[in-house]
Amino acid sequence: MWGDVITNPLSHKELAALHAKFVVPLVVQDMLRGLEPLDDVAEYSMHDILGELQPDTALLCVALSAQHVGAHTAHIPIGKTLQIRAERIVDEYGPLWLAYEQGRAQMDDAAVADLLTHIPEDLEEMGDLLLALCGELEEDHAISAILCDILGAEAHMHMEFAEMQLEKLALLDSEPPELPSTAQNEPVGGDNVVPFPQYRKQSMAR
């Protein structure tokens, strides 16, 4: 699917690097362990951080976080399903993200278009599973339920934005004006905005 990009499962070191880069998955993990509070301020901060991400990067961040929620609720069938599906997305997008960040990969316009067409459906799947799990959890898993609600809502929000961007790209493809080169790598403001390098401006620029 990604051409020359090797999509082998992530090593523990690579997975740790992604967690450290995105921060939110680490916070989710600590909240589930009772090491971090999940109060109104924390909820607002999570929505704010996730909302600032581009949809392609938000998908990876949500999936990394959902892995922890799924593992914590694996005693429920849908929790185990969430864990498995989140791991699939992380294994699919994680190596690609790292390859671009480290300058080890290139992607042509056709591959970019192929990638973008899958992002909305993957965001929708994550959102649906997270919100479904939220409805299944009992009071003794209140933290997990709140995290599911936050992550699920953000996944659906980014799904809608990703679909809008795809529609815009489809309109641009039917017109003669030049598109920005996928080789451009302009900086994007904010440490929390970490879209895939190389094609971020063309794909998901706000």
Side-chain angles (χ1 to χ4, degrees), residues 24-153:
V24 170
L26 289 175
V27 174
V28 167
Q29 186 179 44
D30 284 346
M31 286 176 173
L32 291 169
R33 293 173 175 174
L35 302 177
E36 285 284 344
L38 180 51
D39 52 20
D40 290 344
V41 174
E43 286 188 49
Y44 176 84
S45 296
M46 288 183 66
H47 277 297
D48 188 52
I49 292 173
L50 289 167
E52 288 296 317
L53 296 175
Q54 304 293 344
D56 42 8
T57 308
L59 171 60
L60 183 54
C61 187
V62 167
L64 285 163
S65 303
Q67 279 185 298
H68 296 302
V69 177
H72 195 73
T73 58
H75 60 287
I76 301 174
I78 194 168
K80 186 63 178 179
T81 299
L82 173 65
Q83 182 183 16
I84 292 170
R85 302 305 289 170
E87 286 175 354
R88 177 192 68 79
I89 289 173
V90 170
D91 283 341
E92 185 171 308
Y93 289 87
L96 176 65
W97 192 94
L98 288 171
Y100 269 96
E101 186 190 42
Q102 298 164 7
R104 295 185 287 106
Q106 297 295 325
M107 183 179 287
D108 60 26
D109 290 341
V112 170
D114 184 50
L115 170 64
L116 294 179
T117 59
H118 290 81
I119 289 173
E121 63 191 53
D122 286 336
L123 281 164
E124 182 177 25
E125 179 184 38
M126 281 291 94
D128 288 349
L129 286 171
L130 284 159
L131 295 180
L133 176 58
C134 179
E136 292 288 328
L137 293 171
E138 303 293 340
E139 289 185 4
D140 58 339
H141 284 83
I143 298 298
S144 296
I146 295 172
L147 289 171
C148 284
D149 185 62
I150 295 170
L151 295 169

